[in-house]
Amino acid sequence: MKSPLAVRTSQIQSDNVALRPSPSQKHLVLTQADADTLPFQNGDPKTKEAVDQFQKALVDCMLSYKENFDQDILKKDPKKLIGAILPSQLGKQQFKLLQLFSPEKLTLKNERMGLVGHSDLQIENKQWLLQTHETKLLELKKMFQDVQVNFRSLQTQFQDDITKLGKNIQEISKAALGYNQAVKESRNLYNMLQELRGNIRVFCRIRPPLHLESISSIEHVGNDSSVMVCDPVKPQSTRKIFQFNKVFGPTTTQDEVYNETQPLIRSVMDGYNVCIFAYGQTGSGKTHTTCGPSGGLLKDFGINYMALNDLFNISTSREDVKYDIRVQMVEIYNEQVRDLLSEDTSSTKLDIRTPSNNGLLNLPHAKICQVQSPSDVIDLMQLGEKHRASSSTAMNHRSSRSHSILTVLVNGKDIAGNVSCSSLHLVDLAGSERVDRSEATGERLKEAQHINKSLSCLGDVISALAQKNSHIPYRNSKLTQLLKSSLGGNAKTLMFAHISPEAESYAEILGTLKFAQRASTVELGTAHANKESSEIRELKEQVDTLKKALASKEFEKTSPKLTENAIATERTKQVLNCTPPRSRRLSLENACSGKARMPERKIPKSPISTMSFTRDRSITHDKECITDGFYHAKPHKSLIQMSMPSTEDPVRDEKIICTVDTVEFCQLPPDAYDRLKQSGLNIPEGTPHRSRNMCTEASGGDNPSSTAKLEKLMTSTAAKKGAHLRKSIQSGIGRLIHGTERRNPQNSAQGTKIMTNTCHDIAPPVTADIRLRRRQSLTGIPPTASTMSRRSSLGGRLDISTRNTQTTSACAASMHKPLPFSWIPWPKQGSNDKRGVKTPPPVNSTAKAKRWV
Ligand SMILES: Nc1ncnc2c1ncn2[C@@H]1O[C@H](COP(=O)(O)OP(=O)(O)OP(=O)(O)O)[C@@H](O)[C@H]1O
């Protein structure tokens, strides 16, 4: 290297290595001079770095200026060299140097280096440092000012941003509020719509896979409450999407499920009847949802317990209402209803009765336990679960072998006297199972068959309801009989459709989902609360009392006329005796069809003639006569049947049967019809009097008890408020034949009651015909000639087309004598008179009837 600096550097290095510096080199060897004192020697890496950089800068500088340096300068006075290059080369490093070589250090250094006395150098250094400091200070000041300006502008900007952000947040929150409100409103509207339509709500719950490695059939669970399934065995097959009111994925907790169910359960406290039932294949998690994981309520409670707990919470929070909560728990095991709260379950087989008490209870003999707290509920549920039939199958180690129904009855009364009564049915159905998969044999097989049969009946009912069939086959199983009020009444109904995700259950998954989807289309009609205000109750009682009073007063007024009327009865009787029976009977038939034409003969005008009281043939044959418009008949336990041949409204062409113990026809006053009407019998105004037929099997002679009996008739009919006067004989008999049931359980219940009462004393001979016709319709074998001849001899010949418009009186007559074949109500062609599974429709009924006739 030609550069003297290089030479010097190498010298310095070699000297450092040799540790034998010559006196002439002593001033230059800064490193050596500072060896003891320099901070980096003490292990400060920053200082070391700064010194290194300084050395490097020095060397660089020397190298860059090497051409201009006089080589002698270096030899003569190396200090000058450093003094010359330092100010120009400090540049970037000066700051570090300043830190490293503070004035004190520099002085100290100079002293050490034997530079003391070199005052000019010191001054120079100090001046330089001062200048540097000043420059720095100025720079810093400028920087500070800049920073201040920047800071202020940033501050302003920040404030602007904050204001803007605030505004945005306000807008967003407004929008969010609006959105939430819109969502809430739409949900409310949707719920209202659902409520108005009374749809069965359906929630679907997917059980987590029991084995992690198993392939799932559930492809996707959407946020829009939809579930997509695919057959894993055939991945190319089309995906199927089902949508429900809610779909719970495998990770959903019991609480989440209950939160969605809670509003429905809470409405029980407002007087609504609610039914929640869990449906699904065996092992799909029904018991898990309803009772909890172990079925024994030990942990992770099911919705049954949570519901009851909630009911208690509400009852304590509503201080102005006093609630009475009672619990009933039954199971349907092998088509037998058993009480689960009774200690001896095997001996307590229960009968299902027509719902009484507002349709809430149809197992009157089942044990009902009053519960005061959730702990009472736990005790009862544990008892019920203990008694419930369950056993191990290949599909589920703790499979429920029965349908369990937990019924909670809630009666509330507030301080104003308003009362409400409602029921909550929590149903855990037994799971449908394929016996080949569940490997059921013996008793298990029998159970499985019963379970599958009752579930299939439930499916039939759901289908019939979904299709709005006129006939709903509730009677086909105990399960549907018990669920009747929930499926077809005024209840709010929720169904949990459970599915197992495993690939091998794909067929069952599809079955369950399809069933659930069909159930979701069932419209039950608006659910209404079973509430009655105290005023309404009082008013109802008042109306009843007034009606009774009015009826008795009216009767008192008319009783003096009875003697007078007796003469009129006698006269009418005589006239009737002269009339050929056949034509009279036909006239009755016509009257019922709304085209009433009295026979072309003059009957003495009597008050009774306006009522068209009519007797049937059997009465006529008794040689009883009508004088003065009244029959004189033998005392006889009888029926009074009033018909309303409604020509305008065929639907209202219903049976009207007032069941009264005994009424002597002869004692009915001429204005009895009007009074009956006033007293509550709802008789169409437009119907001519002569077409209204009152038929009675009357008794003769004046009977002193008749007044009381008539009063009884008046009061009983008034008390019944004419509620049952809208049923015609035809539809009644039709129902008797077809077993048709209406959706309104009260109607059907009443209908049954009436028929039972009616047939109590005299079994209607029509039963034989019905039985024969049923048998014929089932077997397809036409009746024998003898039967046919007997039948045709009993009744006259009548056109088939007129069968559905028979008079009530004709039907009423049929209750007392064998009904002519042609009088049996015949389903109209093309009518949608659907029959149940147990009563299939007759094949070619019209043709056969013609043949028979
Ligand atoms: N959501 C769930 N989370 C965790 N485990 C579940 C869930 N659902 C069901 N299981 C488990 O699956 C098994 C079967 O469930 P469960 O007994 O409730 O079925 P099931 O539908 O009532 O059957 P069955 O009709 O045969 O009585 C139980 O071991 C249960 O703990």
Side-chain angles (χ1 to χ4, degrees), residues 205-210 249-254 257 278-295 300 388-391 393 395-402 428-433 451 498-500:
R205 188 172 190 187
I206 303 159
R207 192 198 49 166
L210 295 179
T251 52
T252 317
T253 61
Q254 298 281 82
V257 173
Y279 178 90
Q281 72 170 110
T282 180
S284 56
K286 298 178 292 296
T287 312
H288 182 93
T289 301
T290 51
C291 302
S294 58
D300 216 0
R388 191 179 176 191
S390 69
S391 51
T393 66
M395 299 282 288
N396 186 1
H397 72 279
R398 197 176 179 280
S399 176
S400 311
R401 310 309 290 165
S402 66
D428 176 18
L429 297 174
S432 57
E433 63 189 59
I451 291 168
H498 288 86
I499 47 177
S500 317

Short mmCIF file of all heavy atoms in Angstrom, two decimals, residues 205-210 249-254 257 278-295 300 388-391 393 395-402 428-433 451 498-500, ligand 1:
data_model
loop_
_atom_site.label_atom_id
_atom_site.label_comp_id
_atom_site.label_asym_id
_atom_site.label_seq_id
_atom_site.Cartn_x
_atom_site.Cartn_y
_atom_site.Cartn_z
N ARG A 205 -83.18 -30.99 15.08
CA ARG A 205 -81.94 -31.07 15.85
C ARG A 205 -81.09 -32.24 15.35
O ARG A 205 -81.59 -33.36 15.22
CB ARG A 205 -82.24 -31.25 17.34
CG ARG A 205 -80.99 -31.14 18.18
CD ARG A 205 -81.23 -31.11 19.65
NE ARG A 205 -79.98 -30.77 20.34
CZ ARG A 205 -79.84 -30.79 21.64
NH1 ARG A 205 -80.83 -31.10 22.41
NH2 ARG A 205 -78.67 -30.47 22.18
N ILE A 206 -79.83 -31.91 15.09
CA ILE A 206 -78.92 -32.95 14.59
C ILE A 206 -78.04 -33.42 15.74
O ILE A 206 -77.37 -32.60 16.38
CB ILE A 206 -78.05 -32.40 13.44
CG1 ILE A 206 -78.97 -31.86 12.33
CG2 ILE A 206 -77.12 -33.47 12.91
CD1 ILE A 206 -78.29 -30.89 11.41
N ARG A 207 -78.05 -34.70 15.97
CA ARG A 207 -77.23 -35.24 17.06
C ARG A 207 -75.77 -35.28 16.62
O ARG A 207 -75.49 -35.54 15.44
CB ARG A 207 -77.72 -36.67 17.35
CG ARG A 207 -77.16 -37.25 18.63
CD ARG A 207 -77.32 -38.72 18.63
NE ARG A 207 -76.80 -39.16 17.34
CZ ARG A 207 -76.49 -40.38 16.97
NH1 ARG A 207 -76.63 -41.30 17.67
NH2 ARG A 207 -76.05 -40.71 15.80
N PRO A 208 -74.82 -35.04 17.53
CA PRO A 208 -73.41 -35.17 17.13
C PRO A 208 -73.11 -36.63 16.82
O PRO A 208 -73.73 -37.52 17.42
CB PRO A 208 -72.64 -34.68 18.36
CG PRO A 208 -73.61 -34.64 19.48
CD PRO A 208 -74.99 -34.62 18.92
N PRO A 209 -72.17 -36.89 15.91
CA PRO A 209 -71.88 -38.31 15.60
C PRO A 209 -71.31 -39.02 16.82
O PRO A 209 -70.52 -38.44 17.57
CB PRO A 209 -70.83 -38.21 14.48
CG PRO A 209 -70.36 -36.80 14.47
CD PRO A 209 -71.37 -35.95 15.13
N LEU A 210 -71.76 -40.24 17.01
CA LEU A 210 -71.29 -40.98 18.19
C LEU A 210 -69.86 -41.48 18.01
O LEU A 210 -69.12 -41.61 18.97
CB LEU A 210 -72.24 -42.15 18.47
CG LEU A 210 -73.67 -41.76 18.87
CD1 LEU A 210 -74.53 -43.00 19.10
CD2 LEU A 210 -73.69 -40.87 20.11
N GLY A 249 -77.56 -27.41 15.00
CA GLY A 249 -76.45 -28.26 14.57
C GLY A 249 -76.00 -29.18 15.69
O GLY A 249 -76.50 -29.10 16.82
N PRO A 250 -75.00 -30.02 15.39
CA PRO A 250 -74.57 -31.00 16.40
C PRO A 250 -73.96 -30.37 17.64
O PRO A 250 -73.91 -31.00 18.69
CB PRO A 250 -73.52 -31.83 15.65
CG PRO A 250 -73.68 -31.50 14.22
CD PRO A 250 -74.30 -30.17 14.11
N THR A 251 -73.47 -29.13 17.51
CA THR A 251 -72.79 -28.54 18.67
C THR A 251 -73.74 -27.71 19.54
O THR A 251 -73.31 -27.14 20.55
CB THR A 251 -71.65 -27.62 18.18
OG1 THR A 251 -72.21 -26.71 17.21
CG2 THR A 251 -70.52 -28.40 17.56
N THR A 252 -74.99 -27.65 19.17
CA THR A 252 -75.93 -26.82 19.95
C THR A 252 -76.12 -27.38 21.35
O THR A 252 -76.24 -28.60 21.54
CB THR A 252 -77.30 -26.79 19.24
OG1 THR A 252 -77.09 -26.61 17.86
CG2 THR A 252 -78.15 -25.66 19.76
N THR A 253 -76.15 -26.48 22.31
CA THR A 253 -76.30 -26.93 23.70
C THR A 253 -77.79 -26.98 24.07
O THR A 253 -78.64 -26.44 23.37
CB THR A 253 -75.60 -25.95 24.66
OG1 THR A 253 -76.21 -24.67 24.50
CG2 THR A 253 -74.13 -25.86 24.37
N GLN A 254 -78.03 -27.60 25.20
CA GLN A 254 -79.42 -27.71 25.68
C GLN A 254 -80.01 -26.32 25.93
O GLN A 254 -81.18 -26.09 25.64
CB GLN A 254 -79.45 -28.50 27.00
CG GLN A 254 -78.97 -29.92 26.89
CD GLN A 254 -80.01 -30.85 26.30
OE1 GLN A 254 -80.16 -30.92 25.09
NE2 GLN A 254 -80.71 -31.57 27.14
N VAL A 257 -81.11 -24.64 22.78
CA VAL A 257 -82.37 -25.24 22.31
C VAL A 257 -83.53 -24.68 23.14
O VAL A 257 -84.57 -24.29 22.60
CB VAL A 257 -82.32 -26.78 22.41
CG1 VAL A 257 -83.67 -27.39 22.10
CG2 VAL A 257 -81.28 -27.33 21.47
N ALA A 278 -91.20 -34.67 20.58
CA ALA A 278 -89.91 -35.02 19.98
C ALA A 278 -90.09 -36.25 19.11
O ALA A 278 -90.57 -37.28 19.57
CB ALA A 278 -88.91 -35.29 21.08
N TYR A 279 -89.70 -36.10 17.85
CA TYR A 279 -89.90 -37.18 16.88
C TYR A 279 -88.55 -37.54 16.27
O TYR A 279 -87.67 -36.69 16.13
CB TYR A 279 -90.87 -36.68 15.79
CG TYR A 279 -91.14 -37.68 14.69
CD1 TYR A 279 -92.18 -38.58 14.80
CD2 TYR A 279 -90.35 -37.71 13.55
CE1 TYR A 279 -92.42 -39.50 13.79
CE2 TYR A 279 -90.58 -38.62 12.54
CZ TYR A 279 -91.63 -39.52 12.67
OH TYR A 279 -91.85 -40.42 11.67
N GLY A 280 -88.39 -38.75 15.87
CA GLY A 280 -87.14 -39.14 15.20
C GLY A 280 -86.87 -40.61 15.36
O GLY A 280 -87.51 -41.30 16.16
N GLN A 281 -85.89 -41.09 14.61
CA GLN A 281 -85.57 -42.52 14.67
C GLN A 281 -84.95 -42.85 16.03
O GLN A 281 -84.55 -41.95 16.78
CB GLN A 281 -84.61 -42.90 13.54
CG GLN A 281 -83.20 -42.37 13.77
CD GLN A 281 -82.21 -42.93 12.80
OE1 GLN A 281 -81.72 -42.22 11.95
NE2 GLN A 281 -81.88 -44.19 12.93
N THR A 282 -84.86 -44.10 16.30
CA THR A 282 -84.29 -44.51 17.58
C THR A 282 -82.82 -44.06 17.68
O THR A 282 -82.08 -44.10 16.70
CB THR A 282 -84.42 -46.04 17.78
OG1 THR A 282 -83.87 -46.38 19.02
CG2 THR A 282 -83.73 -46.83 16.69
N GLY A 283 -82.48 -43.57 18.84
CA GLY A 283 -81.11 -43.13 19.09
C GLY A 283 -80.74 -41.78 18.51
O GLY A 283 -79.57 -41.40 18.47
N SER A 284 -81.74 -41.03 18.07
CA SER A 284 -81.41 -39.75 17.44
C SER A 284 -81.36 -38.59 18.44
O SER A 284 -81.04 -37.47 18.07
CB SER A 284 -82.43 -39.44 16.33
OG SER A 284 -83.73 -39.46 16.86
N GLY A 285 -81.70 -38.85 19.69
CA GLY A 285 -81.52 -37.82 20.72
C GLY A 285 -82.81 -37.20 21.24
O GLY A 285 -82.77 -36.11 21.80
N LYS A 286 -83.92 -37.89 21.10
CA LYS A 286 -85.20 -37.33 21.58
C LYS A 286 -85.20 -37.22 23.10
O LYS A 286 -85.52 -36.17 23.65
CB LYS A 286 -86.37 -38.23 21.14
CG LYS A 286 -86.52 -38.35 19.64
CD LYS A 286 -87.63 -39.26 19.26
CE LYS A 286 -87.40 -40.71 19.60
NZ LYS A 286 -86.29 -41.37 18.91
N THR A 287 -84.81 -38.31 23.76
CA THR A 287 -84.78 -38.28 25.22
C THR A 287 -83.73 -37.29 25.70
O THR A 287 -83.93 -36.62 26.71
CB THR A 287 -84.50 -39.70 25.75
OG1 THR A 287 -85.37 -40.61 25.08
CG2 THR A 287 -84.74 -39.79 27.23
N HIS A 288 -82.65 -37.18 24.97
CA HIS A 288 -81.60 -36.23 25.33
C HIS A 288 -82.17 -34.81 25.34
O HIS A 288 -81.91 -34.04 26.26
CB HIS A 288 -80.46 -36.33 24.31
CG HIS A 288 -79.31 -35.44 24.60
ND1 HIS A 288 -78.21 -35.85 25.32
CD2 HIS A 288 -79.09 -34.14 24.30
CE1 HIS A 288 -77.37 -34.86 25.43
NE2 HIS A 288 -77.87 -33.80 24.82
N THR A 289 -82.97 -34.49 24.34
CA THR A 289 -83.55 -33.14 24.27
C THR A 289 -84.60 -32.94 25.34
O THR A 289 -84.61 -31.91 26.01
CB THR A 289 -84.18 -32.92 22.87
OG1 THR A 289 -83.16 -33.08 21.90
CG2 THR A 289 -84.77 -31.53 22.75
N THR A 290 -85.46 -33.90 25.52
CA THR A 290 -86.58 -33.67 26.44
C THR A 290 -86.19 -33.86 27.90
O THR A 290 -86.54 -33.03 28.74
CB THR A 290 -87.76 -34.62 26.11
OG1 THR A 290 -87.26 -35.94 26.02
CG2 THR A 290 -88.42 -34.24 24.82
N CYS A 291 -85.46 -34.92 28.20
CA CYS A 291 -85.16 -35.21 29.61
C CYS A 291 -83.72 -34.94 30.01
O CYS A 291 -83.42 -34.81 31.19
CB CYS A 291 -85.47 -36.67 29.91
SG CYS A 291 -87.17 -37.08 29.56
N GLY A 292 -82.82 -34.90 29.07
CA GLY A 292 -81.41 -34.71 29.41
C GLY A 292 -80.60 -35.90 28.97
O GLY A 292 -81.17 -36.92 28.59
N PRO A 293 -79.28 -35.78 29.04
CA PRO A 293 -78.41 -36.83 28.49
C PRO A 293 -78.63 -38.21 29.08
O PRO A 293 -78.68 -39.19 28.38
CB PRO A 293 -77.00 -36.35 28.82
CG PRO A 293 -77.13 -34.98 29.31
CD PRO A 293 -78.56 -34.70 29.65
N SER A 294 -78.80 -38.25 30.38
CA SER A 294 -78.92 -39.57 30.99
C SER A 294 -80.37 -39.98 31.12
O SER A 294 -80.67 -41.07 31.58
CB SER A 294 -78.28 -39.56 32.36
OG SER A 294 -78.92 -38.57 33.12
N GLY A 295 -81.24 -39.06 30.74
CA GLY A 295 -82.66 -39.34 30.91
C GLY A 295 -83.05 -39.28 32.37
O GLY A 295 -84.20 -39.41 32.72
N ASP A 300 -77.15 -31.30 32.88
CA ASP A 300 -77.52 -30.85 31.55
C ASP A 300 -79.01 -31.10 31.27
O ASP A 300 -79.39 -31.86 30.38
CB ASP A 300 -76.66 -31.61 30.51
CG ASP A 300 -76.32 -30.70 29.34
OD1 ASP A 300 -76.75 -29.54 29.38
OD2 ASP A 300 -75.65 -31.15 28.41
N ARG A 388 -90.74 -45.66 33.40
CA ARG A 388 -90.90 -45.73 31.94
C ARG A 388 -90.16 -46.95 31.37
O ARG A 388 -89.06 -47.29 31.84
CB ARG A 388 -90.35 -44.46 31.30
CG ARG A 388 -90.70 -44.35 29.84
CD ARG A 388 -90.19 -43.09 29.22
NE ARG A 388 -90.48 -43.11 27.81
CZ ARG A 388 -89.99 -42.26 26.94
NH1 ARG A 388 -89.20 -41.28 27.34
NH2 ARG A 388 -90.28 -42.35 25.65
N ALA A 389 -90.79 -47.54 30.38
CA ALA A 389 -90.19 -48.74 29.79
C ALA A 389 -89.03 -48.36 28.89
O ALA A 389 -89.20 -47.55 27.97
CB ALA A 389 -91.25 -49.48 28.97
N SER A 390 -87.88 -48.89 29.19
CA SER A 390 -86.73 -48.66 28.30
C SER A 390 -85.82 -49.88 28.38
O SER A 390 -85.76 -50.56 29.41
CB SER A 390 -85.97 -47.40 28.71
OG SER A 390 -85.33 -47.60 29.93
N SER A 391 -85.15 -50.17 27.30
CA SER A 391 -84.21 -51.29 27.31
C SER A 391 -83.18 -51.10 26.22
O SER A 391 -83.28 -50.18 25.40
CB SER A 391 -84.96 -52.61 27.12
OG SER A 391 -85.80 -52.50 26.00
N THR A 393 -81.06 -51.80 22.88
CA THR A 393 -81.17 -52.41 21.55
C THR A 393 -79.83 -52.21 20.84
O THR A 393 -78.95 -51.51 21.36
CB THR A 393 -82.28 -51.75 20.70
OG1 THR A 393 -81.90 -50.40 20.43
CG2 THR A 393 -83.62 -51.78 21.38
N MET A 395 -79.36 -50.40 18.45
CA MET A 395 -79.25 -49.02 18.00
C MET A 395 -79.01 -48.04 19.14
O MET A 395 -78.49 -46.96 18.96
CB MET A 395 -80.54 -48.61 17.27
CG MET A 395 -80.87 -49.42 16.05
SD MET A 395 -79.90 -48.94 14.66
CE MET A 395 -80.63 -47.39 14.26
N ASN A 396 -79.51 -48.38 20.32
CA ASN A 396 -79.41 -47.47 21.45
C ASN A 396 -79.37 -48.28 22.73
O ASN A 396 -80.27 -49.09 22.99
CB ASN A 396 -80.63 -46.52 21.43
CG ASN A 396 -80.53 -45.44 22.48
OD1 ASN A 396 -79.55 -45.37 23.21
ND2 ASN A 396 -81.55 -44.61 22.55
N HIS A 397 -78.36 -48.05 23.52
CA HIS A 397 -78.23 -48.88 24.71
C HIS A 397 -79.30 -48.57 25.75
O HIS A 397 -79.58 -49.36 26.64
CB HIS A 397 -76.83 -48.73 25.33
CG HIS A 397 -76.62 -47.41 25.99
ND1 HIS A 397 -76.30 -46.27 25.29
CD2 HIS A 397 -76.71 -47.05 27.28
CE1 HIS A 397 -76.20 -45.26 26.14
NE2 HIS A 397 -76.44 -45.70 27.34
N ARG A 398 -79.93 -47.38 25.61
CA ARG A 398 -81.03 -47.06 26.55
C ARG A 398 -82.20 -46.54 25.72
O ARG A 398 -82.50 -45.35 25.71
CB ARG A 398 -80.55 -45.99 27.53
CG ARG A 398 -81.42 -45.90 28.76
CD ARG A 398 -80.87 -44.92 29.76
NE ARG A 398 -81.77 -44.85 30.90
CZ ARG A 398 -82.88 -44.14 30.91
NH1 ARG A 398 -83.23 -43.44 29.86
NH2 ARG A 398 -83.65 -44.12 31.98
N SER A 399 -82.80 -47.45 25.01
CA SER A 399 -83.85 -47.06 24.08
C SER A 399 -85.21 -47.01 24.79
O SER A 399 -85.57 -47.94 25.51
CB SER A 399 -83.90 -48.08 22.94
OG SER A 399 -84.95 -47.77 22.07
N SER A 400 -85.94 -45.92 24.58
CA SER A 400 -87.28 -45.81 25.17
C SER A 400 -88.21 -46.71 24.37
O SER A 400 -88.27 -46.61 23.15
CB SER A 400 -87.77 -44.38 25.10
OG SER A 400 -86.79 -43.51 25.58
N ARG A 401 -88.93 -47.55 25.06
CA ARG A 401 -89.83 -48.47 24.38
C ARG A 401 -91.29 -48.02 24.45
O ARG A 401 -92.21 -48.78 24.18
CB ARG A 401 -89.72 -49.89 24.99
CG ARG A 401 -88.33 -50.41 25.12
CD ARG A 401 -87.52 -50.30 23.85
NE ARG A 401 -87.93 -51.20 22.79
CZ ARG A 401 -87.56 -51.07 21.52
NH1 ARG A 401 -86.78 -50.06 21.16
NH2 ARG A 401 -87.99 -51.91 20.61
N SER A 402 -91.49 -46.77 24.86
CA SER A 402 -92.86 -46.26 24.96
C SER A 402 -92.84 -44.77 24.64
O SER A 402 -91.80 -44.11 24.68
CB SER A 402 -93.40 -46.47 26.36
OG SER A 402 -92.66 -45.68 27.27
N ASP A 428 -92.28 -37.26 24.59
CA ASP A 428 -91.06 -37.90 24.09
C ASP A 428 -91.50 -39.20 23.43
O ASP A 428 -91.83 -40.17 24.10
CB ASP A 428 -90.11 -38.16 25.26
CG ASP A 428 -88.87 -38.91 24.84
OD1 ASP A 428 -88.58 -38.93 23.63
OD2 ASP A 428 -88.18 -39.47 25.71
N LEU A 429 -91.53 -39.17 22.12
CA LEU A 429 -92.01 -40.35 21.40
C LEU A 429 -90.93 -41.43 21.39
O LEU A 429 -89.73 -41.12 21.46
CB LEU A 429 -92.36 -39.97 19.96
CG LEU A 429 -93.48 -38.98 19.76
CD1 LEU A 429 -93.60 -38.61 18.29
CD2 LEU A 429 -94.80 -39.54 20.25
N ALA A 430 -91.38 -42.64 21.31
CA ALA A 430 -90.41 -43.72 21.11
C ALA A 430 -89.93 -43.62 19.67
O ALA A 430 -90.65 -43.11 18.80
CB ALA A 430 -91.09 -45.06 21.35
N GLY A 431 -88.71 -44.06 19.42
CA GLY A 431 -88.15 -43.87 18.09
C GLY A 431 -88.57 -44.96 17.12
O GLY A 431 -88.69 -46.13 17.49
N SER A 432 -88.81 -44.53 15.88
CA SER A 432 -89.10 -45.53 14.86
C SER A 432 -87.81 -46.33 14.62
O SER A 432 -86.72 -45.79 14.71
CB SER A 432 -89.53 -44.85 13.57
OG SER A 432 -88.53 -43.95 13.16
N GLU A 433 -87.98 -47.59 14.34
CA GLU A 433 -86.76 -48.38 14.13
C GLU A 433 -86.99 -49.46 13.09
O GLU A 433 -88.10 -49.99 12.96
CB GLU A 433 -86.28 -49.00 15.44
CG GLU A 433 -87.27 -49.98 16.06
CD GLU A 433 -86.85 -50.41 17.46
OE1 GLU A 433 -86.73 -49.52 18.32
OE2 GLU A 433 -86.65 -51.62 17.66
N ILE A 451 -94.67 -49.51 18.38
CA ILE A 451 -94.12 -48.15 18.22
C ILE A 451 -94.29 -47.70 16.77
O ILE A 451 -94.82 -46.63 16.49
CB ILE A 451 -92.63 -48.11 18.63
CG1 ILE A 451 -92.49 -48.32 20.13
CG2 ILE A 451 -91.99 -46.80 18.22
CD1 ILE A 451 -91.06 -48.60 20.57
N HIS A 498 -85.68 -35.07 15.18
CA HIS A 498 -84.29 -35.43 15.51
C HIS A 498 -83.70 -36.30 14.43
O HIS A 498 -84.36 -37.21 13.95
CB HIS A 498 -84.25 -36.17 16.85
CG HIS A 498 -84.51 -35.28 18.01
ND1 HIS A 498 -85.78 -35.00 18.44
CD2 HIS A 498 -83.70 -34.59 18.83
CE1 HIS A 498 -85.73 -34.18 19.47
NE2 HIS A 498 -84.48 -33.92 19.73
N ILE A 499 -82.46 -35.99 14.10
CA ILE A 499 -81.80 -36.88 13.11
C ILE A 499 -80.40 -37.26 13.58
O ILE A 499 -79.70 -36.48 14.21
CB ILE A 499 -81.76 -36.26 11.69
CG1 ILE A 499 -81.27 -34.81 11.71
CG2 ILE A 499 -83.10 -36.35 11.01
CD1 ILE A 499 -81.13 -34.21 10.32
N SER A 500 -80.05 -38.49 13.24
CA SER A 500 -78.68 -38.97 13.51
C SER A 500 -77.89 -38.72 12.23
O SER A 500 -78.39 -38.96 11.14
CB SER A 500 -78.68 -40.47 13.79
OG SER A 500 -79.72 -40.80 14.64
N1 LIG B 1 -77.28 -33.47 21.30
C1 LIG B 1 -76.60 -34.48 21.82
N2 LIG B 1 -75.38 -34.30 22.31
C2 LIG B 1 -74.69 -35.32 22.83
N3 LIG B 1 -75.15 -36.59 22.90
C3 LIG B 1 -76.36 -36.85 22.43
C4 LIG B 1 -77.15 -35.81 21.85
N4 LIG B 1 -78.29 -36.36 21.46
C5 LIG B 1 -78.23 -37.65 21.78
N5 LIG B 1 -77.07 -37.95 22.35
C6 LIG B 1 -76.66 -39.26 22.83
O1 LIG B 1 -77.12 -40.24 21.91
C7 LIG B 1 -77.61 -41.39 22.57
C8 LIG B 1 -79.04 -41.69 22.15
O2 LIG B 1 -79.84 -40.61 22.54
P1 LIG B 1 -81.34 -40.80 23.12
O3 LIG B 1 -81.43 -41.94 24.03
O4 LIG B 1 -81.75 -39.49 23.60
O5 LIG B 1 -82.06 -41.16 21.76
P2 LIG B 1 -83.60 -41.43 21.54
O6 LIG B 1 -83.95 -40.76 20.27
O7 LIG B 1 -84.37 -41.03 22.74
O8 LIG B 1 -83.64 -42.97 21.34
P3 LIG B 1 -84.89 -43.97 21.56
O9 LIG B 1 -85.94 -43.55 20.64
O10 LIG B 1 -84.35 -45.29 21.23
O11 LIG B 1 -85.27 -43.82 22.99
C9 LIG B 1 -77.49 -41.11 24.06
O12 LIG B 1 -76.34 -41.72 24.53
C10 LIG B 1 -77.36 -39.62 24.14
O13 LIG B 1 -76.61 -39.22 25.25
#
